[in-house]
Amino acid sequence: MVFYRHEICAAATKDQQQNKMKGSGEMKKRSIRIGVDVGGTNTDICAIDEENGILMVYKLPSSLHDQSDAVVAGIKKIAEKYQFSGSEVRRFMHGTTVATNAILEGRGAKTALITTGGFRDLLEIGRQKRPDLYDLQADKVKTLVRRDLRFELSERMNYRGEIIRPIQEEELADVLQNIRESGAESVAVMLLNAYLNPENEERIRAAVEKELPGLFLTISSDLSKQFREYERLCGTVLNSFVGPEVKKYMQNLKSTLESIGIRNTYINHSNGG
């Protein structure tokens, strides 16, 4: 565990660091911004006092069981050393590889897929563009959803978003029962042309939330309004695969941050937002 202090701190006087209120003996409430990056080896914490520019940096080993443990432990250390409280943190910004690690290590949730009839194997078929197009011996990439956990519905929507074959309630009920018995932890829903009209996916959402309320759920029309079913399917499956892990992490992080007074939490997305 290492502390660093930026050169701009060298000229900071004791009076600057204490920030006393004018005309009173009370300490002036400071405005602190914190940025935290969690990696597989180390957790890096950077805090800045927005009034005087004092920069505080702290590094500690990442916690293996729950990465939020190292985040909060590091913040407590840096807050103690530089004497600020959680209530003085105006913004907490965080980047993490929890989702990426879950994918690379195969630690995601046991995921079931509900899709349009005839598209059960789309995850394996993919697109024509492949790394080894003419190699008959090339190994296929393992899909995130086993074939026995992919379920089809005989619904259909045309290219204008018009329902030409509605969902059959009995068929949907059978699919949900199979998912319940499978022990799946999350559900991904991708129907053909749902980006034009999410009505059928919304019906499935309502049924899943009613019959399987404890399962993490992603429907493709929530995630992407773009055409091309393979790309929507991949994104939907990925979200359901990593969703429970990320949700658990964020709930733990939020509760532990709130316990030390930090409530303004912002998460950096892969798209830069």
Side-chain angles (χ1 to χ4, degrees):
M1 294 182 287
V2 183
F3 277 104
Y4 299 93
R5 196 164 185 177
H6 198 270
E7 292 177 359
I8 62 175
C9 300
T13 66
K14 185 176 182 180
D15 289 339
Q16 284 178 312
Q17 293 179 49
Q18 290 178 343
N19 286 320
K20 290 185 177 180
M21 292 286 287
K22 291 182 179 180
S24 72
E26 295 181 0
M27 297 288 288
K28 183 179 179 182
K29 191 170 184 179
R30 301 160 73 182
S31 179
I32 305 292
R33 264 187 298 149
I34 296 179
V36 177
D37 177 67
V38 177
T41 304
N42 294 314
T43 294
D44 297 295
I45 301 172
C46 177
I48 186 169
D49 188 319
E50 295 184 322
E51 283 197 9
N52 53 35
I54 293 177
L55 187 65
M56 303 151 274
V57 185
Y58 184 59
K59 180 189 289 285
L60 75 163
S62 294
S63 45
L64 299 180
H65 177 65
D66 184 351
Q67 291 185 349
S68 65
D69 290 343
V71 173
V72 176
I75 292 173
K76 286 181 177 179
K77 287 286 187 181
I78 204 171
E80 180 182 359
K81 182 174 178 66
Y82 295 103
Q83 298 183 341
F84 65 85
S85 66
S87 62
E88 294 176 305
V89 177
R90 186 179 67 85
R91 177 172 293 194
F92 173 88
M93 295 163 288
H94 181 38
T96 178
T97 57
V98 168
T100 303
N101 292 344
I103 295 169
L104 295 177
E105 298 171 14
R107 292 188 291 100
K110 185 178 182 180
T111 304
L113 170 66
I114 301 175
T115 190
T116 301
F119 288 81
R120 179 184 184 187
D121 296 319
L122 184 58
L123 275 177
E124 292 170 322
I125 295 171
R127 292 283 179 198
Q128 180 70 6
K129 186 178 180 181
R130 300 184 178 92
D132 301 290
L133 185 59
Y134 300 106
D135 185 357
L136 300 180
Q137 305 302 319
D139 294 330
K140 291 184 178 180
V141 177
K142 184 179 178 181
T143 62
L144 298 180
V145 182
R146 301 198 318 252
R147 194 171 192 273
D148 63 303
L149 289 175
R150 303 178 215 151
F151 304 94
E152 296 180 335
L153 292 176
S154 55
E155 64 83 42
R156 197 70 173 200
M157 185 176 295
N158 66 18
Y159 67 96
R160 291 189 294 266
E162 301 166 343
I163 297 174
I164 57 178
R165 191 182 303 148
I167 293 176
Q168 302 299 314
E169 295 298 331
E170 290 185 4
E171 183 182 27
L172 177 56
D174 289 341
V175 166
L176 297 183
Q177 180 60 30
N178 288 332
I179 292 175
R180 181 185 293 108
E181 294 173 354
S182 73
E185 301 166 307
S186 66
V187 178
V189 179
M190 195 292 295
L191 303 182
L192 190 65
N193 294 325
Y195 70 96
L196 291 169
N197 179 1
E199 182 178 338
N200 279 351
E201 287 196 346
E202 291 292 349
R203 288 183 63 186
I204 296 173
R205 185 214 298 273
V208 171
E209 290 177 346
K210 179 181 178 181
E211 301 297 332
L212 306 170
L215 270 61
F216 187 92
L217 174 65
T218 306
I219 66 172
S220 72
S221 52
D222 275 353
L223 204 64
S224 174
K225 298 292 185 181
Q226 302 298 317
F227 79 115
R228 295 195 181 279
E229 60 276 3
Y230 175 65
E231 286 74 12
R232 278 194 299 120
L233 175 61
C234 289
T236 305
V237 166
L238 276 172
N239 196 68
S240 283
F241 184 74
V242 303
E245 180 85 6
V246 175
K247 181 179 180 181
K248 176 184 175 183
Y249 172 74
M250 291 307 304
Q251 287 176 337
N252 290 344
L253 178 64
K254 183 179 179 181
S255 63
T256 49
L257 286 175
E258 288 180 348
S259 71
I260 59 174
I262 298 177
R263 301 182 183 278
N264 300 317
T265 303
Y266 297 82
I267 303 299
N268 296 331
H269 294 187
S270 297
N271 61 5

